[in-house]
Amino acid sequence: MSRTIFERFSDGKSGSFIPENDCPEVGFDILFQRKTPTGLPAVGEQEVIRHYVELASMNYHIDKGMYPLGSCTMKYNPVVNEEIAGSVQFTGLHPLQDEEDVQGALELIYNLEAALCEITGMAEFSLQPVAGAHGELTGMMIARDYFRVRKENRKTVLVPDSAHGTNPASVVTCGFTPRTVPSGEDGLIDIEILGKELDDDTAVVMLTLPNTLGLFEKDIGKIVKMAHSAGALVYMDGANMNALLGIVRPGDIGIDIMHLNLHKTFSTPHGGGGPGSGPVGVVKHLTEFLPVPRVVKEGDRFGFCSDLEKTIGKVHPWYGNFNVFVKAYAYICALGASGIREVAENAIINANYLMKKISRHYDLKYPGPCMHEFVASGRNLKKYGVRTTDVAKRLLDYGIHAPTIYFPLIVEEALMIEPVETEKKETLDHFADVMEKIAGEAKDDPDLLHRAPVTTPVRRLDETAAARDPEFCWPFEKGE
Ligand SMILES: *Cc1c(COP(=O)(O)O)cnc(C)c1O
C-alpha cells in the first residue's frame, strides 16, 4: 500500500462513463486544451471506496468506539444534524445575499441565540466566535471595553489553577494580567485566598463551571457576590455546560459573561481542526458591547443591526460558522426542554458510575461526587515503573481512545475521564473492565505497557519528533 490515492492508482482506470457523443463536433480553441495530464488519480469507483474506508478504519473516531477524552465532551453526533445542515437550502447560501433572500437563515440564528439565552439565563448571545478560546477572547474584550467606558483601569484577571490553558492565554491576548488562584484540598476555589486577591485592580474573576476537575464550585453564590462587591465581573468558561443543562442557569447565579462550546455541549463534530463555535452570552448591561452585526427581528422580518454604539466590533468574518449553528439548533429542537435536562442528568450519572468502578484500581485525589467528568490518577502504578502515558497507549490496543492525560496539572499522573451521556452502561462496564485489566498488566507485565500500543497501525512514537515531522510516523514504506 502506498501513501496517497495519487500514488496508489494511476493506471488509467476510470470510475465514470461518458456516453458516446451524438452531437456534431465543433472546433475547440487549441489555446484552451490541456497539454499536460491533470495529475489526478485515475481510479475505479470500488478502489476509491476501499481506499477511503481503509483510511477511515485506521483512524479512531466517535462512530467507532468510546472516546472518553476529558473536558472535550466527545458525544455522539446525531446523523439527523448532518442531514439538515447538508441540505442545499443551507449549503447554497452566500453571506452576501440580500436579507430578504435569507430570512430562514436569519431566523435560525435568531432562534438559536434565543434558545441559548433560555438554557443559560443570559440576556443575549453572539454566535460569532468560532471556538471556545475565541469566545473567551471575545468575553475578555467585552470586559476590557466595559471598564474602559467606565474609566476604570483594572488590569488583573483571577484564574483558578485548574483552568484550561486557553483561559490565561485569552486574558494575556486581551492585555490583562492573569493571576492564579490556588485550589483548596477539595479541588475548589479557596475563597479565603480569593478574598485576599480581590481588589480594585481586579477586572474579572474567570472561572470554569463545573471546574476542570469535574467539580461544581459549591460556593459559587459567595464567589459571585465577593467579585461583584469588589467591582469585578464574573466570567464563566461554559465549555463544560454539558453537566448543567436544564439544571443550573449561569445567568441566575450572577455570571456576567460566559461562552459555550456548541462543538462540545450541543453535539456538533469536533477534533481534527473541524469547524467549531464558541458563542458568548452576556447579562443585560453588557449587551451593547457584543460583536456586530446582530440579527434582529422587527415584526415578522429578520435583519441585521450593526450600529451598536459600544460594540467591540467584529471578531470573525460574516456571522460565525453557520453550519455548526444548524446542527446545534437541530439538536436542541430534537431534544426539547426535558431532553436537554436529561443530557446533563445522564452525563452526571455515567461519570459517577464510572468513577466508582475505576477507583477500585486507580487513585482518586478528589472522591466526588463528580459532575460530567472526573480525574483519576495512575500514581499507584508508579511502583511498577508504569506511568499514565503507558496506560493511555495500552487502551488503544483494546480499541478505546485514551482519556485526557497529565491535565489538569494539579493532579499527579492525571487521567481525566469524561464518558458523556450517549454511552450505554455496557460500554462503561467494558471500559472499566479494560482499565482493570491494564492495572493488572502493569503489575504482571510492565514491559508490555512500555511497548504499547502493539496492535495499532502506528506503534509507540517519539511524540516530539512526530509532532514536528508528520512523515516520521507514516507506518508504510513509500511505494509499498
Ligand atoms: C475545550 C475547552 C476550552 C477550549 O475550547 P476550544 O473550542 O478548543 O477553543 C476552554 N475551556 C474549557 C473548560 C474547555 O473544556
Side-chain angles (χ1 to χ4, degrees), residues 451-466:
R451 283 184 291 120
V454 296
T455 60
T456 49
V458 179
R459 303 295 159 83
R460 175 85 59 126
L461 293 173
D462 174 340
E463 285 168 2
T464 317

Side-chain angles (χ1 to χ4, degrees), residues 91-158:
T91 59
L93 297 177
H94 191 281
L96 279 179
Q97 266 175 276
D98 193 76
E99 267 174 37
E100 275 312 303
D101 298 339
V102 292
Q103 283 294 304
L106 296 181
E107 181 174 3
L108 189 144
I109 292 177
Y110 186 89
N111 287 353
L112 177 58
E113 284 181 5
L116 299 182
C117 289
E118 178 63 30
I119 288 168
T120 59
M122 305 308 285
E124 279 187 39
F125 262 88
S126 164
L127 303 180
Q128 231 178 69
V130 292
H134 195 194
E136 293 166 22
L137 177 64
T138 304
M140 285 301 121
M141 289 165 76
I142 290 171
R144 181 188 64 195
D145 283 12
Y146 167 77
F147 287 115
R148 196 177 276 166
V149 167
R150 292 169 63 91
K151 300 200 166 44
E152 288 185 60
N153 187 28
R154 292 171 180 257
K155 283 281 163 232
T156 309
V157 175
L158 301 180

